Amino acid sequence: MTEYQQDDSEPEPSWDEAVAAFGSGEPVDLIRPNRKIVINYRYEDGRVHASSPDLTGFEVMGPTLYETKRLVRIDLAGYLDSGVELDEREPRLIFTDSTSRSRVIHGPGEQVTTTASGRSRALMAPARVRVV
Amino acid sequence: MVGQPADRCMNEHHTSARRRSSVRYTPLLCESVPRSSVVVAVLIIDASVEAKIKEKHKLTPAEVHEAVRLAPDAQAAWDDDPEHGRRLVVTGTTYMGRPVIAYLVPLNENDPEEGTFKLKTALSEPS
């Protein structure tokens, strides 16, 4: 027993029957308004990858965002209908733990303390201050 | 419905745009024959049809949308079945080049220009 329900009593057509139904039907011009597909860009392993939830199997990558966008347009020109718009979503800049955020705290006298929240640290050592 | 002249004969070989080729469709429609148009703006695929096309034809809803809504080579014809009514038969190819035929049922028969259809079934060419 399959998990789906047939919505009517019509048997599923074979490929040849479907081709015959198309061939014997009344041809009409197909108008398809408001078409847009999403292209997502992301950085991965030093390269820029593009994929789309609207196109099964679509995956393009390039060395830079600019180059990847160019490759995407070349690839899609071979498939997409000319009326389809692209909604290109570029990667967002995200701060990670390795990004240093330094802060200078002025102490009493000439004492200056630097703090850093990341792995890299900023060192400030002007001539007349003592770094703690 | 807007009457428009057919722009070309349709008895040519249907060749997929990308990676696969050669499905031969047989309708013959030559230039200067006026024909109507149909708007397909929204395609609804419900869960039962989605399960059916996945199981029987290894097709996903995204692939059907590609073939019907995005492919440059998509073509359509009205099929009037005396038993099961009027449905739009659409041919097209997926991004990966699979030829697909989809049966669409209009949800707004009184206003075909509105363009909302429900997928009845979809098939891919047997390999």
Side-chain angles (χ1 to χ4, degrees):
Chain A
M1 185 73 179
T2 55
E3 61 188 33
Y4 56 82
Q5 298 282 321
Q6 284 278 10
D7 56 356
D8 60 28
S9 59
E10 185 175 7
E12 189 74 359
S14 67
W15 176 260
D16 289 340
E17 288 169 339
V19 171
F22 176 79
S24 62
E26 174 199 347
V28 286
D29 287 325
L30 195 53
I31 298 172
R32 298 170 292 176
N34 306 324
R35 290 176 295 164
K36 185 182 280 191
I37 63 167
V38 171
I39 305 293
N40 291 319
Y41 294 93
R42 70 184 188 280
Y43 291 109
E44 197 175 301
D45 300 328
R47 297 177 72 83
V48 181
H49 294 245
S51 59
S52 173
D54 302 308
L55 294 173
T56 304
F58 174 78
E59 184 77 34
V60 171
M61 65 177 155
T64 63
L65 182 60
Y66 177 85
E67 180 66 10
T68 306
K69 283 188 167 188
R70 193 181 70 82
L71 294 172
V72 163
R73 288 173 198 287
I74 291 171
D75 185 81
L76 293 182
Y79 174 69
L80 278 188
D81 188 55
S82 58
V84 180
E85 291 179 42
L86 300 186
D87 178 4
E88 295 182 286
R89 299 180 182 177
E90 298 179 8
R92 291 180 186 167
L93 196 58
I94 300 171
F95 287 106
T96 65
D97 286 344
S98 61
T99 303
S100 67
R101 296 175 191 171
S102 300
R103 190 159 74 102
V104 175
I105 301 168
H106 289 273
E110 295 179 331
Q111 183 177 317
V112 173
T113 304
T114 64
T115 63
S117 60
R119 290 177 190 159
S120 58
R121 291 172 182 270
L123 178 65
M124 297 181 67
R128 295 186 56 204
V129 300
R130 186 164 58 93
V131 178
V132 179
Chain B
M1 295 273 188
V2 180
Q4 289 182 348
D7 53 355
R8 61 196 171 93
C9 292
M10 290 177 58
N11 61 340
E12 62 195 51
H13 285 205
H14 173 93
T15 305
S16 68
R18 291 180 65 80
R19 298 178 179 93
R20 287 185 51 179
S21 61
S22 75
V23 180
R24 185 194 293 267
Y25 299 127
T26 53
L28 181 64
L29 181 76
C30 286
E31 290 182 26
S32 80
V33 176
R35 69 182 193 190
S36 57
S37 60
V38 62
V39 178
V40 178
V42 178
L43 178 58
I44 297 169
I45 303 176
D46 67 30
S48 64
V49 175
E50 180 179 338
K52 177 176 72 174
I53 63 174
K54 274 184 181 172
E55 183 178 317
K56 288 197 169 187
H57 307 292
K58 307 287 185 264
L59 272 174
T60 64
E63 288 176 304
V64 176
H65 275 284
E66 289 167 25
V68 172
R69 298 264 301 141
L70 304 178
D73 59 352
Q75 297 178 350
W78 283 114
D79 176 44
D80 286 304
D81 187 282
E83 215 175 315
H84 303 289
R86 186 170 169 84
R87 53 268 178 102
L88 189 67
V89 185
V90 181
T91 68
T93 48
T94 67
Y95 171 75
M96 294 299 289
R98 293 179 75 187
V100 169
I101 298 180
Y103 283 56
L104 314 183
V105 178
L107 291 184
N108 47 326
E109 286 199 74
N110 294 329
D111 183 10
E113 298 272 346
E114 194 180 310
T116 302
F117 286 80
K118 178 175 178 284
L119 183 71
K120 183 179 175 64
T121 193
L123 308 87
S124 63
E125 184 186 23
S127 51

